[in-house]
Structure formats: C-alpha cells, structure tokens
C-alpha cells in the first residue's frame, strides 16, 4: 500500500501542476532532460539550427542547442527513436531520417513535418548510417549491416543497391562522402566473422566514381600488428583522412591510398576541416576518470592530449560521458563550436574548440526513467535513469512535483538506477527531518570483470548524498542489475528489503542489536534470500 501511495502522490502532484498539464485529460512532460543521443547534425545552411535523434524521438534547436523542441510529426510510431539523420546542403531545409528497419522519412521544412517516402525496404538488414552526396541535390547513400550500400537520387523515394565487392554478411561500421569530392565514398567493415570470411583483412573500401567501382583502401594483410575492426572515418584538410580501428587512430595523407597507424585513443574521430594535423578523437565508452574520453591532437595524430572539462554527468563517479558523435560547426575555423552526442548523458557543447563543455539538452526528454518515487516532503520526487551502461547522472531530483529536475548523485556510484524506495520507518513526517531512501541499479564494470559494487545505495538526507551498502551482494561474474527494492517497516525498528537481481531474489534485513535477529540465509530454487546487518 505504501508503494501505491507514493505513486498516487506523484500522479496527483502531476495533475495539480498547471505548468505540467497541457489540458485536462492530457499528459505533458518537463524532463528530466538528456538521455541517449544517437545522432546530432548542424543545418548546413543555417548553423544555428541543430537536429538530434534521441531515444525520445527527433528534436530541433533553433538557438544553437540552448533549447530543443520535438519535431517528428508524421513519423510512424516506433520509428523515431534511434534514427540516423542527413541534411542536404544543396536543398535548403531538406532532411532525410532513416530508422533501423530502413524506413525512410523526409522533410522539406527543417523537420516541422515528415512524410514517408514510400520506399519498401529490404528484409534482414539494419541501417548504420546515412551520407549526403555533396553537390547533388536529393542524393544520399544508406549503409546497412550486414554490409550493403544503397543510393537514392530522388530524396529517398527509390534506392538502388550498390555492388561493393565486400564479403556478404560482414558487419558494416560507417559510410562517408567527401564534401570536396562528390564521387568519393568510403565504407568501413567492423567484423567479418569466421563464418563469413575468416581470412579477410580488407577493412576500409573506397570508390572514386560514385560507387560504380570499389578498391580496398586499408588492408592488414602482411601486417598482423595493425588493427582491424574499423569504427569511424573523417576527411580532413587537403588529402588527409583520419580513421579509427579497434580504438587505434589511422591516418592517410594521400586520400586513402596508404595508411599509418597511431596510438590507441578512442573510436570516434573528427578531423579539423582546415588544419591537416589537427584531429579530435573520443571514446564511445566511459573513461575511468575526468578528462578520459575526448582528445585533441595538433601533430597529425602522433600524440593526443585530454584537457577538456565539463564532460562528467556525475562529478563524483564514473568519469566522462561516452561519446557517440562529434559534430563541428560548418565554419569551425572561425566559429569553434562542437556538439557531442553521448550514449547516456545527453548533448554537450563547446564554444571554444573543445577546451570546455557544458550540457546543451534542455527540452530533450530522452532519459529512460525506470524508477520514480515521491518523498514525504511535498513536491519532492526522485527519478532513476535506467538502462545506462556508461556514465550518466543516475538519479534526478525535483522539488516542485516534476516541473524542473536536477541531478541528485553526490556519492552515487552507479551508472543506472532501476529502483528507488523510501524507508517508511525513518521520518515519515517531513517535519521530523529528511527521508531515508534506498536505490538499486548497476555500477560501472571493473577492469577485472564483473562490477565495481553490488548496485545497492542508501541516502539519509532525502537523496542529496549517497553511499554504497553492498556487503554480501555479488559483484563478480554476471551479477545483473538490482531491479527492485522493497522496504518494509516492522514495529518501527526493523527494516527489510527484497532485491531482484536478474533471475534471483535477495532479501536484505537491516536491524539494530536490540532486534535480536539471527544471521541466516536460505536458498530455494530460482531465489536466494540473504540478510545483511546494518550497524
């Protein structure tokens, strides 16, 4: 009944807030903002306009990311989450959005309205990326995996498959076109798998005639120490190209005819458009400390430095956010703006070439909230960011019934939170003091395998600060995620919590010495009951 009561309070508070309520009988949202960002692109004709594909749908900003509005009218339900985007520099306002299943939508008004193109997609493929054909209005490439290249010249109404010569069944990683050379196309392979071609060593393929013919650009045959499994590619100034393979940086100074191998840095790459020796590289996985996911090189990729600040979604844990894309301003040389899409922490923005970053996702409602509870303090809510397996804010707090949110993660050593519950025996009346709260989820992985902690956390000040209480909980092997925490009061003294971890149930008993409870546990089929004594 207490759990039902908490939800009832939350829903009544939502209904009572006139700023949240769009109209009687309708729901509207106001955050938390951020979450998984799959793609971000800047409008080539109007650089103050930015588009983002997120877990919460398609969004547009008209003020360089300061605020965002959802823009997916006309997109079929179930398609807008996780789309890849492309803007047509040769046709102002034209956008193409393609979902994983190769359903194609286009807009001619900067995303205000979308219409399906009517293209009937092939079966058994997933879309990886889209690339515009520079200088040719209405022309795009779509890359699928298993690897397949498709080209449209009519804004997505029809597509023709391009024969590349890459082994059928290989996994694709990227398709890139050179804005200064419309006929140049590069395609990357991330894996061949033994069942496809165990001897394959050709990782980057190149076409110089718009896809009519292809040759191998990067091959590790005879060079077993060179990395395979390519991940990203970016055209730099002149004939310079940078790529990444197995998180190692590759560089070509002859338009991809030959490549040199640089250090292990990350898997996302973006070359400076006018300075050949300048390049940015980022990690698509969280770093172990602040300043460990975004790097800059000014010597052609020989060395990299990491001095950027502001990329930690939780400044007390987890390092920098994992980056999924680097997007530079079209006039980056004179306007050094950078947008970073992240896998679990929204969008970050730099106005100084990457020296420092700030969050830039107000209005993007893409956080996957998997836990929500109302505290005894009226209007105070806590929300858990679920299914984040890289650095994220973890827990958000609202003091005004969900009207606005801010991170509440001081000391929270977790990436994702799947359960939040209030201890019913401590300060049930807000006048008595702050509530005690328990949260369950998952921490970062350990370099030795397993997890860094057991995924159970406690706050004695209403969620302002947190500590780990995982003694006896598993961290090695595949312990799973703490998905349920249920607190139960007993005579105002003893408290117990039932934890669901993957397929197992764990029971944790919190007591004082006066409770006189014995230490014990029992195992039953599909369930494990454990008890933990709180000092």
């Amino acid at each position: 009944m207490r759990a039902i009561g908490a939800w009832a309070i939350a829903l009544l508070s939502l209904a009572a807030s006139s700023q949240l309520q769009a109209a009687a009988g309708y729901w509207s949202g106001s955050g938390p903002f951020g979450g998984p960002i799959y793609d971000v692109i800047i409008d080539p004709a109007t650089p103050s306009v930015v588009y983002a594909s997120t877990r919460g749908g398609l969004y547009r900003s008209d003020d360089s990311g300061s605020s965002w509005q959802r823009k997916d009218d006309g997109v079929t339900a179930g398609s807008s989450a996780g789309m890849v985007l492309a803007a047509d520099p040769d046709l102002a306002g034209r956008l193409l959005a393609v979902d994983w299943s190769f359903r194609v939508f286009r807009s001619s008004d900067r995303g205000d309205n979308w219409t399906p193109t009517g293209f009937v997609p092939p079966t058994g493929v997933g879309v990886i990326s889209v690339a515009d054909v520079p200088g040719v209005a209405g022309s795009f490439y779509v890359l699928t995996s298993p690897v397949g290249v498709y080209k449209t010249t009519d804004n997505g109404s029809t597509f023709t498959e391009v024969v590349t010569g890459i082994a059928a069944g290989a996994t694709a990683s990227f398709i890139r076109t050179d804005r200064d050379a419309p006929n140049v196309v590069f395609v990357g392979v991330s894996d061949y798998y033994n069942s496809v071609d165990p001897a394959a060593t050709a990782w980057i393929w190149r076409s110089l005639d718009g896809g009519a013919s292809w040759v191998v650009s990067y091959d590790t045959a005879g060079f077993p120490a060179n990395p395979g499994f390519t991940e990203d590619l970016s055209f730099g100034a002149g004939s310079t190209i940078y790529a990444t393979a197995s998180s190692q940086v590759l560089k070509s100074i002859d338009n991809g005819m030959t490549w040199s191998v640089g250090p292990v840095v990350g898997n996302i790459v973006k070359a400076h458009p006018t300075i050949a020796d300048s390049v940015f590289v980022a990690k698509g996985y969280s770093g172990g400390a602040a300043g460990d996911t975004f790097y800059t090189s000014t010597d052609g990729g020989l060395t990299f430095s990491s001095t950027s600040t502001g990329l930690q979604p939780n400044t007390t844990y987890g390092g920098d956010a994992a980056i999924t894309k680097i997007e530079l301003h079209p006039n980056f040389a004179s306007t050094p703006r950078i947008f970073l899409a992240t896998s679990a922490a929204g969008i970050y923005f730099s106005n100084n070439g990457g020296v420092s970053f700030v969050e830039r996702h107000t209005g993007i409602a893409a956080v996957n909230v998997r836990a929500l509870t109302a505290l005894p303090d009226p209007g105070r809510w806590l929300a858990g960011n679920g299914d984040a397996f890289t650095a994220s804010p973890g827990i958000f707090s609202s003091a005004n019934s969900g009207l606005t949110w801010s991170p509440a993660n001081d000391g929270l050593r977790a990436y994702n939170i799947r359960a939040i519950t209030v201890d019913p025996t401590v300060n049930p009346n807000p006048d008595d003091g702050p509530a005690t709260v328990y949260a369950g989820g998952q921490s970062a992985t350990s370099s030795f395998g397993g997890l860094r902690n057991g995924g159970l956390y406690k706050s004695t000040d209403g969620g302002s600060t947190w500590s780990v209480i995982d003694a006896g909980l598993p961290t090695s092997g595949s312990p799973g995620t703490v998905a349920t925490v249920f607190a139960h009061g007993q005579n105002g003294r003893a408290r117990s919590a039932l934890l669901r971890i993957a397929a197992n149930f764990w029971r944790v008993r919190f007591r004082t010495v006066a409770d006189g409870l014995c230490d014990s546990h029992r195992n039953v089929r599909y369930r494990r009951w454990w008890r933990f004594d709180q000092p």
Side-chain angles (χ1 to χ4, degrees):
M1 289 299 293
R2 290 183 181 273
I4 296 174
W7 276 98
I9 292 171
L11 294 176
L12 287 173
S13 299
L14 177 64
S17 173
S18 60
Q19 289 176 282
L20 281 176
Q21 190 178 22
Y26 287 86
W27 292 82
S28 61
S30 61
F33 298 133
I37 309 297
Y38 303 117
D39 201 359
V40 59
I41 62 172
I42 297 175
D43 191 293
T46 310
S48 61
V49 175
V50 190
Y51 308 96
S53 169
T54 80
R55 183 170 184 144
L58 302 180
Y59 286 81
R60 187 185 77 200
S61 172
D62 296 326
D63 51 14
S64 298
S66 294
S67 62
W68 296 81
Q69 301 79 40
R70 187 162 179 171
K71 295 289 182 181
D72 52 14
D73 286 348
V75 176
T76 304
S79 296
S80 63
M83 285 182 146
V84 288
L85 304 173
D88 192 340
D90 305 294
L91 199 59
R94 173 71 72 185
L95 299 170
L96 209 66
V98 187
D99 73 0
W100 171 253
S101 300
F102 210 155
R103 288 175 289 190
V104 184
F105 299 84
R106 63 181 170 222
S107 172
S108 59
D109 52 13
R110 293 190 169 93
D112 283 334
N113 298 280
W114 295 87
T115 57
T117 66
F119 172 66
V120 179
T123 59
V125 300
V127 170
I128 300 299
S129 64
V130 180
D132 170 69
V133 179
V136 184
S139 293
F140 300 88
Y141 293 100
V142 171
L143 176 68
T144 65
S145 190
V147 66
V149 176
Y150 298 82
K151 185 176 183 179
T152 178
T153 58
D154 54 11
N155 291 303
S157 294
T158 60
F159 284 84
T160 302
E161 186 170 6
V162 177
V163 178
T164 61
I166 302 173
T171 302
S173 53
F174 62 78
I175 186 167
R176 300 287 183 265
T177 53
D178 188 345
R179 65 178 183 177
D180 297 322
N183 288 323
V184 174
V185 191
F186 280 76
V187 170
V189 174
S190 60
D191 207 336
Y192 280 102
Y193 298 104
N194 291 336
S195 61
V196 176
D197 187 352
T201 57
W203 299 102
I204 299 178
W205 294 67
R206 179 183 69 167
S207 174
L208 301 178
D209 52 15
S213 62
W214 296 80
V215 296
V216 176
S217 172
Y218 173 65
D219 196 328
T220 57
F223 302 94
N226 287 0
F229 309 99
T230 57
E231 296 154 313
D232 200 4
L233 181 144
S234 180
F235 294 96
S239 57
T240 302
I241 305 174
Y242 292 92
T244 55
S246 299
S247 294
Q248 205 159 346
V249 177
L250 309 177
K251 180 184 179 182
S252 174
I253 57 173
D254 52 15
N255 288 315
M257 293 182 63
T258 60
W259 295 85
S260 59
V261 179
V264 175
V265 182
N267 56 330
I268 309 297
V269 63
K270 194 69 173 182
H272 194 291
T274 60
I275 303 175
D277 282 342
S278 290
V279 61
F280 301 102
V281 175
K283 291 179 179 179
Y285 42 92
S286 291
D292 197 26
T293 59
F294 186 79
Y295 295 85
T296 303
S297 175
T298 58
D299 59 8
L302 296 177
T303 61
F304 285 83
S305 62
S306 177
T307 58
S308 299
T309 60
L311 288 172
Q312 280 187 286
N314 180 347
T315 57
T316 64
Y317 182 69
D320 287 354
I323 297 167
T324 56
K325 187 176 182 181
I326 304 170
E327 179 77 353
L328 305 184
H329 191 279
N331 302 313
F332 184 76
S334 58
T335 309
R337 295 179 178 177
I338 304 176
F339 285 89
L340 300 180
T342 73
S343 64
I347 293 176
Y348 286 84
F349 171 79
S350 174
N351 203 27
N352 52 23
V355 175
S356 61
F357 287 87
V358 294
E359 293 179 357
R360 204 79 158 189
H361 45 243
T362 299
I364 295 180
V367 174
N368 186 31
V369 176
R370 295 292 295 270
L372 176 66
T373 193
L375 275 60
D377 188 6
R380 184 74 188 279
W381 296 2
L382 293 177
N385 184 8
D387 295 339
F389 299 101
T390 57
S392 82
I395 291 179
F396 296 90
S397 172
S398 174
N400 50 20
S401 300
L403 180 62
T404 59
W405 298 86
S406 60
N409 52 26
D410 187 3
L412 181 71
R413 302 182 64 78
Y415 276 175
N416 75 68
I417 294 296
R418 297 282 294 275
I420 304 174
T421 190
V422 178
D423 189 325
T425 68
V426 179
N427 300 331
N429 188 330
D431 293 334
D432 297 333
T436 292
V437 188
Y438 298 97
Q442 189 177 97
S443 71
T445 56
S446 167
S447 57
F448 303 101
L451 300 172
R452 294 185 184 179
N453 63 63
L456 186 61
Y457 314 96
K458 178 181 179 180
S459 172
T460 58
D461 53 13
S464 295
T465 61
W466 298 85
S467 60
V468 179
I469 54 167
D470 65 347
L473 292 179
T475 58
S476 60
S478 301
T481 302
V482 177
T484 303
V485 179
F486 173 74
H488 172 65
Q490 180 182 344
N491 299 326
R493 295 184 302 168
R495 300 182 300 281
S496 64
L498 183 66
L499 312 181
R500 181 167 64 87
I501 305 176
N504 295 321
F505 286 85
W506 298 61
R507 187 182 184 211
V508 184
R509 295 292 297 275
F510 302 97
R511 68 168 177 82
T512 63
V513 175
D515 291 326
L517 299 178
C518 300
D519 293 333
S520 66
H521 70 273
R522 65 190 177 103
N523 296 304
V524 296
R525 189 178 184 184
Y526 302 123
R527 297 188 180 189
R528 286 194 285 181
W529 298 86
W530 286 62
R531 194 170 77 191
F532 174 81
D533 292 339
Q534 177 174 279

